Amino acid sequence: MQDTVGRILKTLHGKEAGTWFWTCCEGGANGKVPTKDEAVVGVERAYTRRVVKADWRAM
């Protein structure tokens, strides 16, 4: 359980400063959300859907 499955980054500058960007390493799912907790959920959800081979874009 120590593999990297995604990245979470905080936007520090510009009009989106303070928002969070997340991306899943497998499948390319990503998003921008207002909190770090939501970014964590985004990565977890995208990775889980990838593992079970669900189409995350259909939602």
Side-chain angles (χ1 to χ4, degrees):
M1 301 306 296
Q2 294 182 359
D3 293 337
T4 300
V5 297
R7 295 190 75 189
I8 298 173
L9 306 164
K10 185 174 185 179
T11 306
L12 300 176
H13 306 288
K15 64 182 179 181
E16 294 184 355
T19 61
W20 292 82
F21 172 79
W22 64 267
T23 186
C24 186
C25 295
E26 291 189 36
N30 63 66
K32 292 181 185 175
V33 291
T35 68
K36 183 178 180 181
D37 289 339
E38 289 176 277
V40 170
V41 170
V43 171
E44 289 175 343
R45 186 174 184 213
Y47 184 73
T48 300
R49 291 186 63 80
R50 186 73 177 167
V51 168
V52 299
K53 298 182 181 3
D55 180 13
W56 63 271
R57 295 179 191 262
M59 297 187 81

